[in-house]
Amino acid sequence: MDQLYIEIEINTRNDNTEIYSSVESFMALYMYRYLHSPSNIKLNFVRTTIRGGKLRLRSESLRRELTEEKIHCKEATSVEAIRDLRLPIYAKDENTYIAGMCAVCRELVARQECVERRKLLGFKGTCLLAPAESSIWTRFCEVDIVDAMNQLLSTLHSGGRLDEIPKEVPRFERHMNEPVRMHNIYKTAREQAQQQNSGAGTKKKYKVILDCSVPKEKLPIEHRFAEGISFTIADIILYTLIRLIFKYCKDMLVLFPLTSTWLSEVTLKILVC
C-alpha cells in the first residue's frame, strides 16, 4: 500500500487541543480528501514543530483519526528518507519517496484507478509535471502562492495588519485574462464553435471554418480554468489557497472579477465531485 506522510503540530492548553499543519501538507491532505480518501493510500501524520505559516485543522473526523498508532512519529522518524526530505512525502513501491507539494498531489491522482480522476492531470498527464526550477507556472503553484500564504499567516499570527493583498493574486488575475494556451487550439476552437452552432436551434447547419490566420486571442475559447478549458489539479491547488487568501481579505474580491468568476466555476466542480 502507498503511504502519504503529512506534518502536523499538536498544541494542548487547558485541556484544549489544537492541530496545525503546514500549508504544503494541508494541500496534500486536501487533495487526499478530495479523492475521497483512497483505499490504496495510507495516511500518516508526522508530528513536528512547524516553522513558518501554519493552518489550523478543524475537522472533527480528522481529530478522531489522530490515534497513537496513526501518528507515525512524534518528534523524529526511523525512516531515513523522511528525515532527509521535506514533508509532505508520498511513498510507493516500498523504496520510492516523492517530495514537493505539486509532485505529491500529482502522485495522489496518478495512482488512482479511476480514469475520470486521472483526467485531473490534464493533457497527456502533464499538468504541473515540470519542476518549479524550470517552469514558471509550477513555481507559481508550488512556491509563489505558498510563500504568499505563509507570509499572510505569519502576519496574522504576529498580530499584524494586512495592508495589501498578496501580489500573487493580481498575477493570477492577469493570467486569467490571457488567451488560452493549449495543444491543437484551432481544432478545439472549431469543435467548440461547431457544438455551439449545432445547439443554437437553427434549422440550417453549417460547417464552422477557423484557420490559423485567426489570432489566438480571437478564437472562441473561454479561459474558464487555470490551464484553459479543462479542470485540473492546478485549479484545486490554487482554489484552496486563493480562497483562503480572500477569507482574510474579504472586501478585495470585487477588484478581481476574473478570479471571482473562476472561483465560482471551481466551486461548482468541487461540489459536484
Side-chain angles (χ1 to χ4, degrees), residues 11-194:
N11 295 332
T12 302
R13 295 178 182 175
N14 301 324
D15 297 326
N16 182 37
T17 300
E18 294 182 341
I19 305 166
Y20 296 88
S21 180
S22 65
V23 174
E24 295 92 335
S25 282
F26 174 83
M27 191 60 249
L29 177 61
Y30 186 94
M31 188 67 71
Y32 176 81
R33 296 298 196 198
Y34 176 82
L35 296 170
H36 306 297
S37 304
S39 60
N40 64 323
I41 301 171
K42 181 184 177 183
L43 177 62
N44 300 279
F45 302 98
V46 181
R47 187 170 182 178
T48 64
T49 299
I50 296 173
R51 294 173 177 80
K54 53 189 177 183
L55 289 164
R56 183 180 174 185
L57 303 180
R58 301 175 182 273
S59 171
E60 290 302 321
S61 61
L62 180 61
R63 290 173 182 273
R64 289 193 294 269
E65 290 183 38
L66 284 169
T67 59
E68 286 295 318
E69 63 180 36
K70 277 291 190 85
I71 300 177
H72 184 74
C73 50
K74 297 183 178 177
E75 299 299 338
T77 178
S78 59
V79 181
E80 184 177 354
I82 297 179
R83 289 202 306 269
D84 296 338
L85 297 174
R86 183 174 179 177
L87 293 158
I89 296 170
Y90 191 94
K92 65 178 183 177
D93 304 332
E94 296 185 1
N95 61 355
T96 300
Y97 295 87
I98 297 167
M101 185 186 76
C102 286
V104 168
C105 289
R106 277 185 50 83
E107 206 63 34
L108 282 166
V109 175
R111 300 289 280 186
Q112 300 308 299
E113 294 183 0
C114 177
V115 176
E116 285 301 313
R117 289 182 182 177
R118 292 204 302 273
K119 285 182 180 179
L120 288 170
L121 296 178
F123 179 71
K124 292 187 176 181
T126 57
C127 179
L128 301 179
L129 177 61
E133 292 80 6
S134 62
S135 167
I136 294 175
W137 178 239
T138 302
R139 179 176 177 81
F140 178 78
C141 296
E142 184 170 62
V143 179
D144 298 341
I145 198 72
V146 171
D147 285 349
M149 192 72 227
N150 278 325
Q151 182 61 45
L152 185 150
L153 291 171
S154 297
T155 300
L156 292 173
H157 183 72
S158 62
R161 291 179 54 188
L162 298 177
D163 296 323
E164 59 183 17
I165 199 163
K167 64 180 183 297
E168 284 71 22
V169 174
R171 276 184 63 189
F172 184 71
E173 180 78 5
R174 289 195 300 270
H175 167 77
M176 292 301 294
N177 195 40
E178 292 175 356
V180 173
R181 299 175 184 177
M182 59 180 294
H183 182 72
N184 284 339
I185 188 170
Y186 287 95
K187 178 183 177 183
T188 302
R190 283 191 290 270
E191 290 174 348
Q192 287 198 358
Q194 193 67 53

Side-chain angles (χ1 to χ4, degrees), residues 215-234:
K216 291 182 179 180
E217 60 271 18
K218 299 294 184 181
L219 293 174
I221 293 183
E222 186 181 1
H223 199 156
R224 293 179 60 199
F225 298 107
E227 295 202 351
I229 63 173
S230 300
F231 178 65
T232 67
I233 58 171

Side-chain angles (χ1 to χ4, degrees), residues 235-253:
D235 290 288
I236 300 175
I237 291 171
L238 292 172
Y239 171 83
T240 308
L241 300 180
I242 290 177
R243 188 181 62 167
L244 283 171
I245 289 174
F246 280 113
K247 176 184 176 181
Y248 300 109
C249 305
K250 297 178 182 179
D251 299 332
M252 296 188 182
L253 183 56

